Amino acid sequence: MGNMATSNLGRTGVALTNLGFGGAPLGDLFEILSETQAQGTLQAAWDAGLRYFDTAPFYGYGKSEHRFGHFLRQQPRNEFVLSTKIGRVLRATRDPDNFDKGMWAGGLPFDLYFDYSYDGVMRSFEDSLQRLSLNSIDLLLIHDLDHMFHVNDTRINAHMVQLGTSGWRALEELRSSGQIKGIGAGVNQMGTIPRFLEMVDLDFFIVAMPYTLLDQDVLDAEFPQCEERGVGVVIGAVFASGILATGPTENAYYAYAPAPPEVLEKTRRIQAVCDRHNVPLRAAALQFPLAHPIVAAAIPGGLMPEHVQSNVEIFEHPIPADLWSELKAEGLLREDAPTP
């Protein structure tokens, strides 16, 4: 698996390279990417030793999966780990000129609908295999069952019931038959992890916002609950959706929206400590969450080969222990947060 260190993901028996590659940008998230640029970015990730790739039908309405598949089907299947997601089913739009692209700059002309039922899970899984041109997917996640996409509790509860009554049976069948090696859930917000753990026997979570250099509230109850059950974690948004990569600039993004003043201020103070130790803020942000024993990997994305190369550089950047103790002493990092 290249030469990058790996960690086991919960009880799945799957080892992930500590640095993986997140596939949302290849769905034309921020800008429309050419195929050449997308394939070059995946090649750069492979050349750097990254062997864990995460995508989803939602990313560019199928486009990210197609791009990942085009690249990965040309690599030895036993050398990489691939995860994708269920919860949204795609169908060809009847109105290619005016259909709703949602948050994507480009993407493919498909509409999506939410479906967490048995048939919805199986349809999504089989469609993903076709888009990826692969005959297996290692890890399958329940995608976005939270307020970020479902607005209110009524809709979330309806989908949770759908998942609990029939969708989960599909996931269990896929896992017990060996078609997938683990079932996860992608979460954006606090409160979702305990709800899932009460309801179903998950193997892991991809956690976006709640565990970063700026936020560690999951250490109170949510991560300990995972640890008790042997549930693994992958960190999705190490840069808190922007600000920990760009620094506290006036256009900085935090939690997918312009950063509020208190977040800008906290980031300024963290950056000042990093500067004193000659450590890029991005390096501290990427390496921090990986120190937690249940975290197996972080999966920043990239729009171009240079992004991947710079992620690898900051992943390997030496960080003195003093930096972490100084952040804790200044009250910028929780005392109980594990550090590298």
Side-chain angles (χ1 to χ4, degrees):
M1 272 209 172
N3 53 2
M4 188 168 281
T6 60
S7 296
N8 287 323
L9 178 64
R11 305 158 304 188
T12 60
V14 176
L16 304 180
T17 49
N18 293 152
L19 192 58
F21 186 83
L26 295 197
D28 296 342
L29 176 55
F30 305 109
E31 53 189 77
I32 297 177
L33 300 191
S34 70
E35 287 306 320
T36 312
Q37 189 173 331
Q39 295 304 315
T41 305
L42 287 164
Q43 184 68 54
W46 187 270
D47 291 345
L50 278 60
R51 293 292 183 272
Y52 170 42
F53 298 87
D54 173 67
T55 182
F58 178 47
Y59 301 159
Y61 297 175
K63 199 171 201 177
S64 176
E65 283 190 328
H66 276 290
R67 285 171 159 171
F68 272 61
H70 180 73
F71 180 79
L72 291 172
R73 68 183 165 82
Q74 302 176 67
Q75 316 309 326
R77 184 63 189 91
N78 61 348
E79 283 190 23
F80 63 87
V81 174
L82 174 68
S83 55
T84 191
K85 310 189 179 84
I86 60 91
R88 293 176 176 88
V89 177
L90 305 180
R91 56 180 163 211
T93 181
R94 297 289 170 85
D95 187 4
D97 297 326
N98 303 304
F99 80 106
D100 181 10
K101 289 184 178 174
M103 60 198 281
W104 309 96
L108 299 176
F110 285 80
D111 291 320
L112 56 83
Y113 60 96
F114 287 100
D115 189 344
Y116 296 89
S117 70
Y118 181 95
D119 289 345
V121 169
M122 289 305 196
R123 163 87 191 265
S124 180
F125 176 68
E126 287 159 6
D127 285 355
S128 285
L129 290 173
Q130 298 282 351
R131 283 189 292 267
L132 290 158
S133 17
L134 295 169
N135 74 345
S136 67
I137 289 162
D138 301 293
L139 303 165
L140 198 57
L141 292 107
I142 301 154
H143 205 188
D144 289 336
L145 251 183
D146 56 32
H147 287 91
M148 212 163 138
F149 289 95
H150 297 286
V151 193
N152 59 44
D153 284 338
T154 315
R155 278 170 54 183
I156 293 175
N157 292 340
H159 290 311
M160 280 281 188
V161 166
Q162 200 180 35
L163 179 71
T165 47
S166 75
W168 181 253
R169 189 164 50 88
L171 290 165
E172 286 262 59
E173 277 178 27
L174 291 170
R175 181 170 63 181
S176 59
S177 66
Q179 291 180 75
I180 58 175
K181 295 170 184 161
I183 305 169
V187 301
N188 296 301
Q189 295 163 323
M190 291 276 294
T192 317
I193 287 177
R195 185 158 188 192
F196 271 119
L197 291 178
E198 275 162 33
M199 192 174 91
V200 290
D201 180 27
L202 282 178
D203 299 306
F204 73 104
F205 289 98
I206 291 184
V207 175
M209 286 300 300
Y211 194 60
T212 66
L213 199 50
L214 284 166
D215 304 277
Q216 299 97 45
D217 289 346
V218 285
L219 293 175
D220 288 333
E222 304 202 0
F223 273 18
Q225 283 177 6
C226 290
E227 210 160 358
E228 265 165 42
R229 297 169 187 232
V231 171
V233 169
V234 170
I235 300 293
V238 280
F239 303 125
S241 91
I243 190 164
L244 291 173
T246 59
T249 60
E250 51 188 81
N251 312 333
Y253 263 63
Y254 166 78
Y256 313 101
E262 64 277 14
V263 172
L264 285 165
E265 180 51 30
K266 185 175 182 182
T267 309
R268 267 187 214 106
R269 294 180 60 203
I270 293 172
Q271 183 159 33
V273 176
C274 290
D275 290 346
R276 282 202 287 280
H277 293 277
N278 294 318
V279 169
L281 174 66
R282 295 174 65 237
L286 179 54
Q287 293 183 38
F288 162 68
L290 286 163
H292 198 289
I294 64 172
V295 173
I299 48 169
L303 294 169
M304 55 180 78
E306 295 75 32
H307 291 166
V308 177
Q309 285 141 9
S310 99
N311 285 339
V312 172
E313 278 163 28
I314 60 169
F315 174 72
E316 292 170 347
H317 194 289
I319 299 182
D322 290 357
L323 180 144
W324 307 113
S325 40
E326 204 171 307
L327 286 175
K328 289 183 175 183
E330 291 197 16
L332 295 167
L333 192 59
R334 279 177 59 138
E335 284 291 336
D336 59 345
T339 52

